[in-house]
Amino acid sequence: MIVGGIPMMFGVSAQFLAVGHDTTPFISAYPWSAAGFGTKFSNPATLPPSRCNGVSFSASGGYLAVGHEITPYIGVYPFSAAGFGTKFADPAVLPQGGGIGVAFSADGGSVALAHGTTPFASAYSFSASGFGAARRNPSPALGGIGQAVAFTNAGNFIALGYSTASPYIDIFPWVSSTGFGTKKSDPATTPTGSVNGVAFTKAGDAVAAVHSASPFVTAWPVSGSGFGTKVSNPATLPAGTGLAVAFSPLGDFIAVAHDITPFISVYPWSGSGFGTKIADPATLPAGTGQGVAFTSDGTALAVAHLTSPYVSVYPFSVAGFGTKFSNPGTLPAGGGYSVSFGG
């Protein structure tokens, strides 16, 4: 069925899936439907210049941002049912250092990048014309290499995860017209190691960070005052270093990608925190889980990983994992580092 020129599947707008990887063309994108992968879209005319550590669709699916290791460190493409459009011009003021995590604000009016050189995070206004002015930098600067970034759905906070120095996570109020506000106080209980991924619930009432030391995932309530008291650790911890984290759209599950088999761990989530870990998928991801994402309706869960086929996607419901979808007809060209659904 076609509505407004956009294919519809079972009443849901057509979706897309993008994987950032470590071999040229560094980004691969596919149509996505209830049947799984469609035929890979043609590569963009202007490729990212290096490994895509981060990929993020805007909430509408109309733009795709990538964070990569070589200057200009960030790129954004228009995106549609036809695939990649012409890459937008680079921002006038480039980020400082290799791009890692990247995210759009929910309204699409800002895009932020966590990167490798002080102030370790940069943000820009964004519109249909592309990058606008650089936003005010975080002050103080992050305590180490910026590795992860997430906005609340309401757009009132931005979280950043970083390496090197405790507390490894900062939350700033976000002002759409200017950028970073005054940093909120550090959590009373901080992550135990470098933070590689951060995520807010859709309601913005909790934030989770995945990190390099046990318990590998830490979560806190969030309010206008900032961090609340850390929730109890899950009874069954992720098996190794947490590398990416995502909440389901309804906020009823939290998924953690990590570096030791089973490479993905998913838990029910509620106001009380973590529930009992759900059973692992029958077919595990083939290697270290580097990225994780739910579809906008929560009916599928994708994991980007370092071993072929580099991306694995599963049906998902309150019953847990379904049977893994067939691999895409054309695989990503190398190790998967990030994944995002759009549309």
Side-chain angles (χ1 to χ4, degrees), residues 241-258:
T241 294
L243 295 169
V245 61
F247 284 99
S248 63
L250 294 179
D252 52 352
F253 289 97
I254 180 172
V256 178
H258 45 84

Side-chain angles (χ1 to χ4, degrees), residues 168-231:
Y168 303 113
I169 185 172
D170 291 339
I171 290 181
F172 297 84
W174 181 257
V175 182
S176 60
S177 58
T178 54
F180 294 93
T182 302
K183 180 190 162 198
K184 293 295 184 180
S185 297
D186 299 334
T189 303
T190 62
T192 53
S194 295
V195 166
N196 301 306
V198 292
F200 286 102
T201 57
K202 186 173 182 179
D205 58 359
V207 65
V210 291
H211 42 84
S212 59
S214 183
F216 306 118
V217 59
T218 303
W220 305 262
V222 173
S223 68
S225 301
F227 292 99
T229 301
K230 174 186 172 289
V231 304

